[in-house]
Amino acid sequence: MIHDSGTEYLASNRKRVLLFGMSGLGKTFLSNMLREAGDWFHYSIDYRIGTRYMGELIADNFKREAMKVPFLRDLLLSDSVYIGSNIAFDNLSPLSTYLGKPGSQTRGGLPFDEYLIRQAQHRTGEIAALLDTPHFIRRADDIYRLPHFVCDSGGSICEVVDPDDPDDPVLGTLEQHLLLVWIKGSDAHTAELVRRFDRAPKPMYYQPQFLDHAWRDYRMIKGLREEEVDPDDFIRWTYARALAHRQPRYAAMARRGVTVTAEEVSEIRTPDQFNSLIARAIDRRTGYPAPASDPACLHRKDA
């Protein structure tokens, strides 16, 4: 880790952290809160993917659909209208819409081969966006004069790295520059995420081997051909399995950094509270006792 103790982290004038874990547990909430404080740079991996690496693909998909409408087709061919993605940190719908869902095209699904192409595009974009992190750390300091940096990673970060490989190039690059922080959810959090997803299923990225097994197993259990699959039913069926698949991968990544709980995160309202939480997590990991004057001690359960 880039910090040996909570005291060292608190004293640092260049705090750099990467938040990872399941979507919906507070990564973007914390990142927004830190950015709004004024001296933190917020680097969103999903935003970078959807703009720099998949922005043209997303816009072209919009145009492909618009070309099916005669009125819009004529306007596009005459350069009379502009069609683009209005992706934002808090609105990543253009990216998830492009990823899509596999299954029956009459139900809004994609042919599985096309779906795999888009999954591969996302994987390439996510790896590139993660490797861009050091560049954005330099930009944050050089251009914006912001001393602190938070990388808001996507839920699928654990799927594009090998957390058990000490020589994984992506994780190796990240841990040289940032403190890796896992926001760990409880079983209750997982159950709530599953319920939330069931109400509004959204496209997501899957590890290729996991997706291949899920697609085959689902169709075998249901007795369906590819073109008969209900896209929403498939991703609902897959979601809880995907979360279970990711948990040990997150845990392996956390061995390179620190862990905080979603319950702890839910209590954070200010950057000072966030910094105290991270310092406490470092001391839990290293076994380094923080002095009584350390702000991290103020939140210790045994204080």
Side-chain angles (χ1 to χ4, degrees):
M1 297 191 301
I2 62 173
H3 298 290
D4 294 326
S5 69
T7 300
E8 180 187 310
Y9 169 81
L10 290 170
S12 173
N13 58 7
R14 292 287 188 274
K15 295 178 175 64
R16 298 165 180 171
V17 299
L18 180 146
L19 306 176
F20 70 92
M22 294 186 295
S23 296
L25 294 184
K27 298 189 300 293
T28 300
F29 164 76
L30 289 177
S31 299
N32 285 336
M33 180 269 294
L34 293 172
R35 183 185 73 243
E36 290 167 3
D39 55 358
W40 284 79
F41 186 94
H42 176 188
Y43 177 51
S44 167
I45 294 298
D46 284 339
Y47 180 79
R48 179 68 169 168
I49 297 169
T51 52
R52 173 65 176 84
Y53 293 107
M54 294 182 70
E56 185 173 319
L57 295 168
I58 292 168
D60 283 351
N61 192 48
F62 291 161
K63 294 172 185 176
R64 191 175 297 111
E65 294 301 313
M67 286 290 287
K68 298 175 183 178
V69 181
F71 175 72
L72 293 176
R73 180 180 184 279
D74 291 341
L75 292 174
L76 275 174
L77 291 175
S78 63
D79 290 327
S80 299
V81 296
Y82 169 78
I83 295 179
S85 167
N86 194 27
I87 196 169
F89 282 10
D90 296 317
N91 180 20
L92 299 167
S93 295
L95 176 58
S96 61
T97 298
Y98 176 75
L99 273 180
K101 311 165 190 176
S104 169
Q105 291 179 263
T106 61
R107 298 182 182 183
L110 291 169
F112 193 65
D113 287 345
E114 173 62 25
Y115 182 70
L116 290 179
I117 290 172
R118 299 188 185 192
Q119 289 275 305
Q121 291 167 342
H122 190 282
R123 178 183 179 84
T124 299
E126 184 164 4
I127 290 172
L130 288 166
L131 291 174
D132 283 344
T133 303
H135 167 67
F136 275 88
I137 291 174
R138 291 189 293 271
R139 287 189 71 205
D141 186 38
D142 180 52
I143 298 175
Y144 302 107
R145 297 293 188 264
L146 294 174
H148 310 308
F149 186 95
V150 56
C151 178
D152 177 7
S153 73
S156 56
I157 183 174
C158 66
E159 306 284 32
V160 300
V161 300
D162 183 352
D164 294 316
D165 180 2
D167 298 318
D168 182 85
V170 177
L171 286 178
T173 296
L174 294 173
E175 67 182 348
Q176 287 177 23
H177 294 88
L178 309 101
L179 177 68
L180 306 187
V181 179
W182 179 25
I183 301 178
K184 182 180 181 181
S186 64
D187 290 342
H189 287 113
T190 300
E192 175 56 29
L193 291 176
V194 171
R195 285 193 294 269
R196 191 185 307 170
F197 189 89
D198 190 62
R199 290 193 298 269
K202 297 179 181 179
M204 59 188 288
Y205 173 79
Y206 304 98
Q207 184 197 47
Q209 296 91 333
F210 170 84
L211 176 60
D212 180 67
H213 287 300
W215 182 246
R216 185 178 62 248
D217 292 347
Y218 173 85
R219 290 186 295 111
M220 182 173 63
I221 292 170
K222 301 283 186 175
L224 299 172
R225 299 189 302 272
E226 290 189 5
E227 64 274 14
E228 296 175 326
V229 170
D230 179 336
D232 283 342
D233 188 61
F234 170 72
I235 64 171
R236 284 191 179 102
W237 183 88
T238 305
Y239 184 69
R241 291 163 177 79
L243 295 187
H245 168 76
R246 289 179 175 183
Q247 283 299 107
R249 301 181 70 85
Y250 289 140
M253 286 180 61
R255 291 195 288 270
R256 299 173 181 245
V258 301
T259 301
V260 298
T261 68
E263 289 88 351
E264 290 174 314
V265 166
S266 69
E267 297 176 358
I268 301 303
R269 295 296 180 270
T270 69
D272 284 345
Q273 291 175 340
F274 173 80
N275 287 329
S276 292
L277 173 61
I278 299 304
R280 191 160 71 252
I282 295 172
D283 289 337
R284 283 198 301 249
R285 165 68 192 275
T286 63
Y288 187 92
S293 59
D294 189 330
C297 287
L298 300 179
H299 297 279
R300 285 182 180 271
K301 291 182 178 179
D302 57 349

